[in-house]
Amino acid sequence: EGVAEPLGRWLAMSLKREDDGQMRYPVDLDAIDGLLDDYFALDLWGALPGANRAHVVIGEKSEVFAGPDRERVRALAAEDPRLEVHLVEGAGHWVHVEKPSALAALFG
């Protein structure tokens, strides 16, 4: 409840049926919290300028990669042709779930 159907379907792929018939979500949420803490502690903006080649894919409706971050990455891309920014129309944060064919077309 509270998520778009494509995301719900993607999350449901991880469900496992137990011997008693109950469904279980076997994802270690504590491990995910640790990964997110590590992610937010790491600042990789400095890795983009001068990278051999980089693609940044942003979902048009994403609230995760928005405002100043979008402006910053576009400014970096304007200065460096090896950095490409791709905006996937109609997608939110979960581009690979919401618009998989658009994502595949970028790199296919």
Side-chain angles (χ1 to χ4, degrees):
E1 185 176 326
V3 298
E5 184 177 336
L7 179 56
R9 288 178 176 274
W10 180 71
L11 291 169
M13 290 188 321
S14 296
L15 290 173
K16 301 288 183 198
R17 186 174 304 278
E18 297 290 325
D19 291 337
D20 62 1
Q22 296 292 315
M23 300 298 285
R24 185 174 70 85
Y25 194 64
V27 175
D28 184 341
L29 297 178
D30 290 333
I32 290 174
D33 281 340
L35 291 169
L36 284 170
D37 289 343
D38 183 63
Y39 169 81
F40 286 113
L42 197 57
D43 182 351
L44 292 175
W45 280 105
L48 285 175
N52 186 34
R53 186 153 187 79
H55 295 265
V56 177
V57 178
I58 305 169
E60 174 191 31
K61 297 178 181 179
S62 175
E63 296 177 8
V64 176
F65 199 109
D69 289 333
R70 288 188 191 195
E71 292 171 21
R72 185 175 183 184
V73 77
R74 285 185 179 127
L76 288 171
E79 296 172 6
D80 188 344
R82 295 170 298 176
L83 174 59
E84 293 185 48
V85 178
H86 309 276
L87 188 68
V88 179
E89 293 183 18
H93 175 68
W94 302 94
V95 175
H96 66 293
V97 174
E98 298 167 9
K99 298 288 182 175
S101 58
L103 184 60
L106 288 174
F107 303 104

Tab-separated table of all heavy atoms in Angstrom, residues 19 33 59 84 94:
chain	number	residue	atom	x	y	z
A	19	ASP	N	7.225	-22.641	4.648
A	19	ASP	CA	6.596	-23.968	4.717
A	19	ASP	C	5.168	-23.908	5.242
A	19	ASP	O	4.335	-24.742	4.892
A	19	ASP	CB	7.425	-24.909	5.606
A	19	ASP	CG	8.768	-25.261	4.969
A	19	ASP	OD1	8.871	-25.156	3.719
A	19	ASP	OD2	9.703	-25.604	5.707
A	33	ASP	N	19.761	-0.493	5.986
A	33	ASP	CA	20.012	0.739	6.740
A	33	ASP	C	21.502	1.063	6.772
A	33	ASP	O	21.900	2.219	6.596
A	33	ASP	CB	19.487	0.621	8.177
A	33	ASP	CG	17.990	0.825	8.282
A	33	ASP	OD1	17.393	1.417	7.349
A	33	ASP	OD2	17.415	0.409	9.303
A	59	GLY	N	15.304	10.270	-13.043
A	59	GLY	CA	13.869	10.199	-13.302
A	59	GLY	C	13.285	11.600	-13.219
A	59	GLY	O	13.537	12.328	-12.261
A	84	GLU	N	27.458	12.682	-19.337
A	84	GLU	CA	26.144	12.826	-19.970
A	84	GLU	C	25.052	12.686	-18.919
A	84	GLU	O	25.110	11.806	-18.069
A	84	GLU	CB	25.934	11.768	-21.052
A	84	GLU	CG	26.859	11.935	-22.247
A	84	GLU	CD	26.541	10.946	-23.339
A	84	GLU	OE1	25.341	10.814	-23.680
A	84	GLU	OE2	27.472	10.299	-23.832
A	94	TRP	N	12.636	5.255	-9.118
A	94	TRP	CA	12.837	3.856	-9.494
A	94	TRP	C	12.767	3.710	-11.020
A	94	TRP	O	11.923	2.986	-11.550
A	94	TRP	CB	11.785	2.977	-8.818
A	94	TRP	CG	11.823	3.091	-7.330
A	94	TRP	CD1	11.056	3.935	-6.564
A	94	TRP	CD2	12.662	2.379	-6.439
A	94	TRP	NE1	11.375	3.765	-5.244
A	94	TRP	CE2	12.359	2.815	-5.133
A	94	TRP	CE3	13.646	1.405	-6.608
A	94	TRP	CZ2	13.003	2.325	-4.004
A	94	TRP	CZ3	14.273	0.912	-5.487
A	94	TRP	CH2	13.959	1.362	-4.221
